[in-house]
Amino acid sequence: MKENYKILGTSENATIEEIEEAYKKLEKKYKGNNNKTAKTKLNEIRKAYEELTKVKKAKFKEDNQEESLEPIEGSTLLDKITKERMITFGIGLVLGLIIMMFFFPDRIAELENGEQVAVEVGKTNITSDDIYNRMKKATALNVVVEKVDQAILYKKYELTEEDEKTISENANKYLTEATQYYGLSEEDFLKSSGFDTKEEYIKNVIELDYLRSKYFKDYVYGMITDDEVNDYYNSKVYGTISTEHILVKNDTMSDEEASSKATEILDKLKNGASWEDLKNEYKNVIITENVNVEFDSNLESSYKMEAEKLSDGSYSSSLVKTSYGYHIIYRKSTTEKQSLKEVTTRIKNILLEVKQEEDSNLYAKTLIEMRKEAGMDIKDTEIKSIYDYYVSTIEKANN
């Protein structure tokens, strides 16, 4: 179990959220690479994540039974709607009680003061008003921003067939992960999350999240200037670098042993041994493969930086350390740099990530601005107070 924490780079006291965040970062890092080493690493990461989350599952459920008073958007007070839907069990029951309150009043006992009893616990009466007032404080803002964002985004965007395909794939992925994680059937998960059908879940969770992300991307693209794109192109964009590497992994031997073996190979290379001969001589203890390095590759920085530094036809003069082990990199060739027009979108994607790193609340701020520009006016003073507090908290976060 300790090895799993090491693989994900977290402490043994890490929460389920920290484990999930570490997993997502590593998955993003390795998922785009098609080389054998990256695939092996990705499988190792996924296995560690699955084992750790399985062990922490019971505690996670217990810790998240209490209703949260925090809104659910972004990564601070409001977390993304998908995550909230996946962890808020019991909401179907509460919604049912509220529906009963409005549509079936005769079926609920009534107190002398006119309040209707929804639940009895011994001699204690829990009224519909008690439940409604608690729900209003705990979840009303979530529903408000959900409905407001839908009204804005459905007017702004018309989903294409490609959009709908992506949304459907995302829904199947999330539902599969959620049902496996909680050990529920799809039907039970949907009902416990407050949905009668899969279509309703997709509409209110996956589709909305997709449209929010689409808006966010468009909005940040608009923030990126031509000068920023040109500067990045001139200073950091290059053609595809073709490399081959010899890797001594540190998972089947100690780190010290791996470093020693890699140093032995590198010394022989420096003393005139051929690359091909060394690959054959050490084939039982090394991994060799071809890796293409792009300016926007999701490779570990040490490998990428070394490949960029080398000239065609040369190899590393010192070992390159990554999470896989120790590498000796041979830079074979480089293609011609693509035109600015051909790589503009890729550059904008990188600059978008840079802006997110500079401001962790950029996503939330973007949606706040979207609602403001659309003229959202919350009439309910209590909900407005909660939303205003959320906005002020987000605005202060990076100051």
Side-chain angles (χ1 to χ4, degrees), residues 236-244 290-295 297 299 303-314 329-337:
K236 297 184 179 180
V237 175
Y238 47 79
T240 301
I241 300 172
S242 175
T243 70
E244 185 177 18
N290 294 310
V291 177
N292 286 335
V293 180
E294 308 275 359
F295 72 89
S297 293
L299 293 168
Y303 189 102
K304 189 175 178 182
M305 289 173 63
E306 180 69 10
E308 292 171 353
K309 184 177 70 176
L310 293 171
S311 57
D312 289 353
S314 65
I329 301 173
Y330 173 56
R331 175 164 164 168
K332 297 159 65 176
S333 61
T334 309
T335 64
E336 186 177 348
K337 179 177 176 178

Side-chain angles (χ1 to χ4, degrees), residues 118-160:
V119 181
E120 289 184 355
V121 183
K123 294 182 179 181
T124 301
N125 294 318
I126 301 174
T127 69
S128 297
D129 284 346
D130 291 332
I131 297 173
Y132 174 74
N133 290 332
R134 180 71 180 92
M135 281 188 63
K136 186 176 182 180
K137 291 180 180 179
T139 63
L141 183 55
N142 301 336
V143 178
V144 168
V145 296
E146 175 183 295
K147 296 304 179 185
V148 167
D149 290 359
Q150 284 176 332
I152 296 170
L153 294 168
Y154 287 140
K155 184 176 180 180
K156 181 175 180 61
Y157 295 110
E158 183 175 344
L159 294 175
T160 65

Side-chain angles (χ1 to χ4, degrees), residues 63-71 84 88-91 94-95 97-98 101-102 115 118-119 126-143 380 382-383 386:
D63 291 345
N64 286 278
Q65 287 303 307
E66 296 297 324
E67 291 178 273
S68 172
L69 288 172
E70 297 177 347
E84 176 70 11
T88 308
F89 284 90
I91 194 172
V94 177
L95 288 175
L97 292 171
I98 298 303
M101 179 179 74
F102 288 109
E115 290 190 14
V119 181
I126 301 174
T127 69
S128 297
D129 284 346
D130 291 332
I131 297 173
Y132 174 74
N133 290 332
R134 180 71 180 92
M135 281 188 63
K136 186 176 182 180
K137 291 180 180 179
T139 63
L141 183 55
N142 301 336
V143 178
D380 186 295
E382 191 169 10
I383 296 176
I386 297 172

Side-chain angles (χ1 to χ4, degrees), residues 26-27 30-31 38-46:
L26 289 171
E27 183 187 39
Y30 295 111
K31 196 171 182 179
K39 289 180 179 178
T40 301
K41 187 68 176 178
L42 188 57
N43 288 334
E44 185 180 68
I45 292 164
R46 285 174 175 165

Side-chain angles (χ1 to χ4, degrees), residues 66-84:
E66 296 297 324
E67 291 178 273
S68 172
L69 288 172
E70 297 177 347
I72 54 163
E73 174 189 278
S75 58
T76 54
L77 286 180
L78 295 180
D79 197 359
K80 284 194 176 181
I81 208 87
T82 303
K83 183 176 180 182
E84 176 70 11

Side-chain angles (χ1 to χ4, degrees), residues 35-53:
N35 61 76
K36 182 179 177 181
T37 304
K39 289 180 179 178
T40 301
K41 187 68 176 178
L42 188 57
N43 288 334
E44 185 180 68
I45 292 164
R46 285 174 175 165
K47 183 180 179 182
Y49 171 70
E50 289 171 0
E51 289 180 358
L52 286 178
T53 51

